[in-house]
């Protein structure tokens, strides 16, 4: 990455960066009292925020600068009813929950990402800064009829800097603890009278907050990321404009930022641990890695016919992701000894010898309780006196390795013809197409102390022989047609109808060779037949997505509105062999999990209703937005994680029916000129009504959905003299209790329930059952502060993210039949200083 990185650093050194003197504005704040109206594109047309008949959160350029938010995680932190999980397994693994609808890992996102009018097809890019930001709009509720694919929960609409008529730019640099360095820059210039360009770049590096105790290095959450964005816009005649964009981004760092904790109540102590009470410790013998590379090219053409406007765009996107990490399965003896009946061979003997050697060397090495490295690697249930309890990601080689690859290339395009907004009737018609080529692979290998191979399959006798492999190629073709009509029946009454029809044709081809696991003697993929290969599969998913809006504006500062719409997310395929593996390991009498996993998961459909009122009082000194909502989700897609003697498995299942209802309130008050306070609260009540995947979870809450969110804040912008302002900003976000699985206040049998009766302990099976009451994340609050000075073209700011250093978990992934959860921590306190200059 040398040449590209050098070019980026050079551009940061000589160019210029995000302006830092705009005034903060987000959804909780509403329109700046006495200031200009906020203009949004929530319905693909420019209109006042107050006129939009829906809940829309807006973060303008000033708020972006004064809060430091520059990616989806920062946007979500400022927005009521929105939570996010990102960067736990890998950087591109981002799940956004809006009002109870969550984007399941390994399925399509539930939130559309639209940048400068173009729908991004791979939301792995949600973890990245999308150029020089000017405004963020977060739309809640189904937006498919307006914004298209994967907008069942909402849409994030991003606007970036356009070239102006004069040369301008800015540069910003910050430094914080943990060697956290960030720089951003942009330059914008005209090219003649009718064209211009914007070139921008950003760079960030950090050592992270946590240290690997075994490797004695900060390689747990370290990261380096950079991106270069280019934009060229030109006027081709009086009525035609073209907008060309290119993007290159590269990320490298750590992955699988998890600890495992047990929830086995009968054992008590550290075997029965609350996810919020766990003291994190990292000691994997494998340095985890995470690489993500993004290449985007897009072109957008607009032609004004006078009464109508034609917009056409095309996008090419290529995103490659990979991670390597330590394994999870030492306690289940996968790499400790060959399976019963498996023939001894050079590979499994070498693997066993390596495991025994590292365990003997590391006897007594301090690992997280109840972990213990004894004299031999035999797990505690078989040799309680001298055996070991490893947990996941141990310093020994006994848990193997893992490699995950997810590469996606896609081409998409849209053509839309719309009215120009003259008169009471606005309309639009269009078509959309998309082709995706995606490869997904998860490979488990034996650890011979020689690192992790980057190949998905490695033959017996190699340095990292493969023992389990899921690898598939997925193809998707999407066709859609859409249209909308908005009609103003009078100055007070407006109504709108939008409609979209989507067809997604999907197919999958298995790429796993028909070979056996050298460790156990079983097939390397449980879906493989005795001879031959796994047959290709295909399916088609279709959905009509209507949306209806009504609006009554008794005056220019009040809007009473209601809307209803259908959300849709396509079904798809799990890695082939997933169903066979779950049935063979968990749906057996000794465990009786009663869990249903299919190699094909169903489409998700939601029906959402919202009603509310928004407006302003006291000459616009106080703004408010109150809304209530009800959503019924059918076949909600949900991520499941399984761990056992087979290794690990990631799949998507369906929850047949979930109902969500809630209320949300936002307000802002300008106390005096230059000082405002703002706050918001969202209360969400959800319930699983039917779940054939796990029938006993009916009545539980929607996973990944916080019971409530509360945002409180204040901002002061006070002049010290004619040229310098004092700027202070405080944001406090409280996130309510959250379950991360459909299994909640319940006790379930685990793989230990199967093994204990036949172990040296000879305990009854129920002793190995796990109680998941302790798998809920408790409420927590995070305080962010910024304090600084601003001149006409410069700023100097001190900042503190998570000022109180609140310890909280970002995510808990219960592996129900494993008997515990995999937890990942949230960010700790980050204190630093930022300097910026613009011209």
């Amino acid at each position: 990455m040398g040449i590209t990185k050098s070019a980026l650093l050079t551009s940061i050194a000589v160019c210029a960066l995000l302006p830092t003197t705009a005034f903060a504005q987000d959804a909780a704040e509403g329109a700046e009292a006495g200031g200009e109206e906020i203009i949004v594109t929530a319905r693909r047309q420019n209109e006042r925020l107050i006129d939009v008949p829906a809940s829309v959160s807006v973060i303008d350029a000033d708020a972006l600068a004064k809060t430091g938010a520059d990616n989806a995680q920062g946007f979500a932190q400022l927005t009521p009813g929105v939570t996010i999980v990102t960067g736990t397994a890998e950087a591109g693994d981002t799940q956004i929950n809006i009002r109870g609808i969550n984007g399941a890992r390994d399925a399509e996102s539930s939130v559309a990402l639209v940048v400068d009018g173009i729908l991004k097809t791979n939301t792995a890019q949600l973890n990245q800064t999308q150029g020089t930001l000017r405004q963020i709009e977060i739309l809640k509720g189904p937006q498919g009829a307006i914004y298209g694919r994967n907008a069942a929960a909402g849409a994030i609409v991003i606007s970036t800097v356009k070239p102006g008529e004069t040369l301008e730019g800015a540069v910003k640099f910050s430094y914080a603890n943990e060697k956290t360095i960030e720089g951003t820059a942009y330059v914008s210039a005209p090219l003649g009278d009718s064209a211009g360009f914007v070139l921008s770049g950003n760079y960030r590096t950090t050592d992270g907050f946590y240290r690997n105790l075994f490797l004695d290095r900060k390689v747990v959450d370290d990261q380096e990321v950079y991106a270069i964005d280019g934009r060229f816009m030109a006027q081709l005649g009086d009525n035609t404009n073209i907008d060309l964009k290119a993007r290159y981004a590269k990320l490298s760092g750590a992955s699988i930022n998890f600890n495992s904790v047990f929830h086995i109540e009968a054992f008590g102590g550290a075997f029965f641990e609350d996810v919020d009470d766990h003291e994190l410790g990292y000691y994997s013998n494998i340095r985890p890695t995470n690489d993500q590379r993004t290449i985007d090219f897009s072109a957008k053409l607009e032609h004004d016919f006078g009464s109508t406007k034609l917009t056409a765009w095309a996008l090419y996107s290529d995103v490659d992701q990979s991670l390597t990490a330590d394994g999870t399965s030492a306690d289940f003896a996968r790499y400790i000894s060959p399976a019963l009946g498996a023939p001894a061979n050079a590979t499994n003997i070498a693997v066993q010898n390596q495991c025994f050697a590292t365990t003997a060397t590391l006897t007594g090495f301090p690992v997280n309780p109840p972990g213990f490295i004894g004299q031999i690697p035999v797990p505690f249930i078989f040799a309680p006196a001298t055996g070991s309890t490893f947990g996941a990601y141990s310093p020994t080689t006994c848990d193997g390795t893992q490699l995950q690859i997810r590469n996606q290339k896609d081409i998409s395009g849209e053509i839309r013809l719309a009215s120009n907004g003259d008169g009471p009737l606005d309309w639009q018609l269009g078509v959309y197409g998309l082709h995706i080529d995606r490869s997904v692979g998860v490979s488990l290998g034996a650890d011979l102390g020689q690192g992790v191979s980057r190949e998905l399959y490695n033959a017996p006798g190699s340095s990292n022989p493969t023992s389990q492999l899921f690898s598939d190629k997925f193809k998707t073709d999407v066709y859609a047609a859409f249209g909308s009509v908005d009609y103003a029946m009078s100055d007070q009454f407006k109504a709108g109808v939008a409609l979209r029809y989507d067809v997604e044709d999907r197919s999958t081809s298995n790429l796993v060779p028909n070979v056996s696991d050298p460790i156990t003697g079983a097939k390397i993929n449980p879906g493989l037949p005795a001879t031959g290969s796994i047959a290709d599969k295909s399916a088609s998913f279709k959905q009509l997505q209507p949306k209806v809006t009504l609006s009554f504006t008794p005056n220019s500062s009040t809007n009473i509105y209601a809307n209803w719409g259908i959300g849709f997310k396509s079904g798809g395929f799990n890695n082939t062999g997933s169903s066979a593996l779950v049935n063979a390991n968990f749906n057996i009498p000794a465990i009786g999990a009663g869990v249903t996993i299919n190699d094909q998961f169903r489409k998700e459909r939601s029906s959402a209703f919202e009603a509310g009122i928004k407006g302003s009082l006291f000459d616009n000194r106080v703004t408010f937005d109150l809304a209530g909502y009800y959503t019924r989700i059918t076949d909600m897609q949900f991520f499941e994680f399984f761990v056992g003697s087979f290794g690990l498995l990631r799949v998507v299942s369906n929850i047949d029916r979930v109902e969500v209802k809630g209320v949300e309130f936002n307000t802002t008050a300008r106390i005096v000129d230059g000082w405002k306070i703002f706050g918001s609260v969202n209360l969400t009540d959800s319930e699983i009504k039917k779940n054939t995947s796990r029938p006993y979870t009916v009545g539980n809450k929607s996973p990944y959905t916080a019971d409530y969110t509360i945002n409180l804040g204040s901002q002061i912008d006070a002049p010290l003299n004619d040229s310098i302002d004092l700027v202070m900003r405080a944001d406090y976000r409280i996130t309510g209790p959250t379950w991360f699985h459909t299994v909640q206040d319940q006790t379930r049998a685990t793989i230990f329930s199967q093994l204990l009766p036949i172990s040296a302990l000879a305990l009854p099976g129920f002793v190995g059952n796990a109680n998941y009451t302790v798998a809920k994340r408790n409420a927590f609050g995070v305080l962010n502060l910024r304090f600084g000075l601003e001149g006409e073209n410069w700023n100097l700011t001190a900042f503190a993210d998570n000022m109180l250093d609140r310890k909280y978990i970002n995510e808990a992934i219960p592996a129900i039949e494993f008997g515990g959860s995999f937890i990942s921590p949230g960010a700790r306190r980050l204190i630093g200083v930022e300097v910026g200059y613009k011209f």
Side-chain angles (χ1 to χ4, degrees), residues 27 53-57 79-84 96-103 110-111 138-143 152-154 547 561 563 604 606-614 625-633 636 658-666 681-687 702-709 733:
S55 292
V56 182
S57 296
T79 309
V82 179
T83 58
I84 188 170
I96 296 178
N97 186 298
I98 299 181
R99 294 179 172 178
I101 299 181
N102 195 66
S110 293
V111 179
I138 301 180
L139 291 69
K140 301 167 187 176
Q143 304 297 329
K547 183 152 191 172
Y561 63 88
N563 62 73
E604 177 180 300
S606 55
S607 174
F609 173 80
E610 178 188 40
I613 180 173
K614 60 174 71 173
D625 185 347
L626 174 66
Y629 55 91
Y630 170 81
T631 307
R632 176 171 172 166
I633 307 107
M636 173 185 279
V658 179
E659 292 186 5
V660 179
K661 55 182 179 290
V663 63
E664 185 174 295
F665 177 70
N666 313 283
V681 60
N682 176 281
L683 305 175
T684 300
D685 181 36
S686 62
E687 184 178 356
S702 177
Y704 285 79
T705 301
D707 288 349
Y708 55 84
T709 63
R733 166 64 175 257

Side-chain angles (χ1 to χ4, degrees), residues 82-283:
V82 179
T83 58
I84 188 170
V85 171
T86 184
T88 55
E90 58 181 318
D93 181 14
T94 299
Q95 302 167 79
I96 296 178
N97 186 298
I98 299 181
R99 294 179 172 178
I101 299 181
N102 195 66
R105 182 183 276 112
D106 291 346
E108 298 290 346
S109 173
S110 293
V111 179
L113 175 63
V114 181
V115 182
D116 293 324
I118 294 178
L119 176 65
K120 296 275 187 172
T121 45
N122 192 333
T123 50
Q125 300 183 54
L126 280 166
N127 67 327
Q128 303 171 8
T129 300
Q130 298 290 319
T132 305
L133 306 179
R134 273 297 171 265
Q135 181 161 292
I136 310 297
E137 302 168 30
I138 301 180
L139 291 69
K140 301 167 187 176
Q143 304 297 329
I146 303 296
Y147 278 107
R149 188 172 182 268
N150 294 344
I156 298 177
V157 180
I158 295 177
S159 300
T160 69
V161 166
K162 296 180 179 180
E165 297 179 352
T166 59
L167 175 67
E168 65 177 18
V171 61
K172 179 172 65 178
F173 174 84
S174 67
Y175 181 85
N177 54 291
E178 317 308 335
K179 297 183 180 179
T180 302
I181 301 171
E182 185 168 2
T184 61
Y186 91 88
V187 62
S188 171
L191 296 173
D193 295 331
S194 58
F197 76 92
V198 179
L199 177 65
S200 64
N202 63 79
Y203 175 80
R204 185 178 190 272
T205 182
T206 181
D207 282 354
F209 298 102
Y210 298 95
R211 177 177 294 273
N212 183 306
L213 301 177
F214 177 73
L215 298 177
D216 195 25
R217 296 170 61 194
K218 297 196 78 173
V219 291
V220 174
D221 55 342
D222 64 308
Q223 191 175 95
E224 181 183 45
V225 59
Y226 65 90
I228 298 176
D229 289 270
R231 187 176 192 181
F232 172 79
M233 299 184 71
Q235 187 172 355
L236 308 178
D238 294 337
N239 301 315
T240 306
N241 297 301
I242 190 169
D243 185 355
L244 305 176
K245 297 182 70 177
R247 175 178 179 80
Y248 181 87
K250 184 75 167 63
L251 178 148
S252 61
S255 63
I256 311 294
N257 181 7
F258 289 106
N259 273 194
S260 60
V261 298
F262 290 99
H263 305 319
I264 303 176
E265 186 174 17
F267 279 6
F271 278 101
F272 185 57
E273 191 173 10
D274 192 301
V275 294
D276 288 304
D277 296 337
H278 178 77
E279 291 294 329
L280 293 158
Y282 299 89
Y283 37 72

Side-chain angles (χ1 to χ4, degrees), residues 10 109 181 202 209 385 412 429 438 444 486 544 563 575 724:
T10 301
S109 173
I181 301 171
N202 63 79
F209 298 102
S412 59
L429 292 170
R438 178 186 297 156
L444 304 185
D486 292 284
L544 188 67
N563 62 73
N575 283 122
I724 299 177

Side-chain angles (χ1 to χ4, degrees), residues 808-820:
Y808 65 96
I809 61 170
N810 192 1
E811 181 181 27
I813 304 178
I816 302 304
E817 287 72 31
F818 162 73

Side-chain angles (χ1 to χ4, degrees), residues 699-724:
N700 291 344
K701 296 187 176 184
S702 177
Y704 285 79
T705 301
D707 288 349
Y708 55 84
T709 63
I710 301 173
N711 287 74
L712 302 171
S714 177
Q715 181 172 302
I716 295 175
D717 194 337
L720 297 179
N721 55 41
D722 291 341
S723 59
I724 299 177

Side-chain angles (χ1 to χ4, degrees), residues 143 269 298 445 540:
Q143 304 297 329
S298 67
S540 184

Side-chain angles (χ1 to χ4, degrees), residues 470 574-583 597-599 649-651:
F470 294 92
N574 289 310
N575 283 122
T576 307
S578 299
S579 178
L581 188 146
V582 169
N583 289 332
I597 298 297
N598 299 308
D599 284 350
L649 176 67
R650 301 162 52 126
V651 295

Side-chain angles (χ1 to χ4, degrees), residues 752-824:
F752 297 105
S753 307
Q754 175 192 17
L755 296 176
L756 281 171
I758 61 173
S759 72
L761 301 176
L763 294 173
F766 69 83
V767 177
N769 294 354
N771 182 341
Y772 283 91
T773 304
V774 292
K776 177 173 68 173
R777 180 180 68 188
N778 294 330
F780 67 94
V782 173
L783 174 65
N784 294 337
L785 299 177
R786 293 176 70 88
F787 175 91
L789 301 175
E790 289 187 358
E792 183 178 354
N793 59 0
W794 60 271
N795 80 290
L796 175 63
T797 304
F799 61 88
D801 296 337
N802 194 1
M803 175 63 189
L804 304 178
D805 202 22
R806 177 70 162 88
K807 294 181 180 180
Y808 65 96
I809 61 170
N810 192 1
E811 181 181 27
I813 304 178
I816 302 304
E817 287 72 31
F818 162 73
S821 297
F822 290 79
I823 64 172
S824 182

